[in-house]
Amino acid sequence: MIKKYFSFIVFILLSTSVFCGTAQRPKNIILLIGDGMGIPLVTASVLSMSNDQFKKIPTVGLINTTAADKLVTDSAAGATALSTGYKTNNGMIGICPDGKILTNIVEIAIKNKKSTGIVATSSVTNATPAAFLSKVESRKSEFDIAAQILNSKVDFLAGAGTDFFLPKELGGKREDGKNYVDSMKAKGYEYLSDTSKASTIIAQKKFFGLFGRSALSQGNQRSFTLGHLTKSAIQLLSKNRKGFFLMVEGSQMDWAADKNEKDYLFAEQRDFNSAIEEALNFAKKDKNTLVVVLGDHDTGSLGISSQDKETGELDVVWATRYHTANFVGMFSFGPSSNQFGGIQENSDVGKKLIRLIK
Ligand SMILES: [Zn+2]
């Protein structure tokens, strides 16, 4: 009798966990990628930044960022693992080392009738955003990536990149004479390049914003934040009752760390924090949104060596001017966030995100 009763309890527990798992699939996913954001940078945020968001996020994991061909990944292979669930060689975007073309999470979200958005502080043709919008053998093919973006069907796209979308005569760098800004408008996109309006975008239809030639101004040198763009993206995408996928990249932490420039780096981290804040605010209210914040790899491997008692300013030492294979942190909030703890391969994180968006 006791045995029977025990079996019944086990059955109920198993059933509950199965049903809860199903019920807890998020309607929306917001993936925030800090390019080059290693654990030291997260530490710096927690120790010294008034708008730190990491302490608000309950689930923490670590990611092994290695590429298919190298211990130390670049942004192309790193973003491909996250956007497709497969590791590839450094330099390649959306394509396996053997040449097989991969399907990315934006395509899968669109197939499932969800809205999609990509926001970056680099050109939207740069490696990380490109891995969510295109497939190319070499990340250097930014003119081809722009051409593929025309057919991506993404609903909200904001960053920089007029160099790659406009012909030389109009201030771009395209030598084929094509004006892809006009092509995007012809596809129904509302286009904006006026940076003075970038903090208050309220998109009514598909939106395309380019606020720089190949990069946005540095985080502390512009009138709008990555948080503003994130808020505008969420405002448009959340109109879809079937849900959305949004990827937001703080692209320039990597560039700042490459230069070993601490002030630039910390300004970029503060800017990225403003985007995390918008994502968390929405997710807390919505209760049906998974937010995952992670780095694609560490850059610079900085060490925090001391702190000024009065100003709180941190002193750092650098180990390198390039990427490292150090694990990066992964911080998640919302339904299914419990799947993003422990030590995981970057490609497994991509696979899980894709499974959840289906
Ligand atoms: Zn990167």
Side-chain angles (χ1 to χ4, degrees), residues 122-330:
S122 63
S123 169
V124 295
T125 56
N126 204 287
T128 305
F132 291 82
L133 299 165
S134 68
K135 300 118 200 275
V136 286
E137 293 270 350
S138 166
R139 59 180 291 174
K140 291 177 185 159
S141 311
E142 289 190 71
F143 297 105
D144 296 339
I145 293 167
Q148 291 189 33
I149 286 174
L150 290 187
N151 299 314
S152 68
K153 298 192 176 79
V154 67
D155 297 287
F156 188 102
L157 180 60
T162 52
D163 274 358
F164 308 101
F165 284 85
L166 288 174
K168 280 192 162 173
E169 310 84 86
L170 294 175
K173 286 188 173 170
R174 291 201 73 90
E175 291 185 348
D176 57 9
K178 299 230 163 84
N179 180 340
Y180 282 163
V181 168
D182 276 355
S183 306
M184 289 291 274
K185 287 183 196 164
K187 283 182 180 284
Y189 285 87
E190 175 186 345
Y191 176 69
L192 182 71
S193 61
D194 183 349
T195 53
S196 72
K197 292 180 179 156
S199 64
T200 54
I201 299 162
I202 300 176
Q204 303 296 339
K205 54 179 184 174
K206 278 172 170 273
F207 178 85
F208 178 46
L210 293 182
F211 304 108
R213 299 188 60 157
S214 62
L216 263 53
S217 302
Q218 294 183 10
N220 54 358
Q221 293 170 16
R222 59 178 132 83
S223 59
F224 61 97
T225 64
L226 191 56
H228 288 132
L229 296 179
T230 303
K231 187 177 184 179
S232 297
I234 293 171
Q235 174 267 325
L236 178 71
L237 303 179
S238 60
K239 288 179 179 173
N240 185 342
R241 281 192 292 168
K242 290 194 187 298
F244 68 85
F245 171 77
L246 170 64
M247 191 289 289
V248 178
E249 186 197 29
S251 320
Q252 297 186 34
M253 284 177 258
D254 178 55
W255 304 351
D258 274 341
K259 294 186 170 115
N260 286 183
E261 285 182 14
K262 182 185 78 173
D263 292 344
Y264 177 17
L265 178 68
F266 287 1
E268 289 302 314
Q269 181 65 58
R270 275 190 289 273
D271 188 47
F272 186 59
N273 285 351
S274 72
I276 305 173
E277 186 170 19
E278 290 297 339
L280 288 178
N281 285 347
F282 175 78
K284 279 174 191 162
K285 258 187 265 160
D286 179 67
K287 295 187 172 56
N288 211 350
T289 300
L290 169 67
V291 177
V292 179
V293 187
L294 46 78
D296 61 340
H297 52 77
D298 167 84
T299 304
S301 189
L302 80 166
I304 297 166
S305 52
S306 66
Q307 186 169 31
D308 186 300
K309 271 189 180 164
E310 277 168 23
T311 64
E313 196 179 326
L314 300 173
D315 269 336
V316 301
V317 289
W318 300 87
T320 173
R321 283 183 176 264
Y322 190 58
H323 304 177
T324 77
N326 292 351
F327 286 177
V328 294
M330 169 165 59

Side-chain angles (χ1 to χ4, degrees), residues 14-26 335-336 338-339 356:
L14 284 174
S15 308
T16 308
S17 71
V18 168
F19 291 132
C20 284
T22 307
Q24 285 180 353
R25 279 169 71 92
S336 298
N338 58 355
Q339 294 186 30
L356 290 171

Side-chain angles (χ1 to χ4, degrees), residues 91-104:
M92 296 177 82
I93 287 175
I95 300 179
C96 276
D98 65 3
K100 188 182 156 224
I101 305 281
L102 295 164
T103 305
N104 66 52

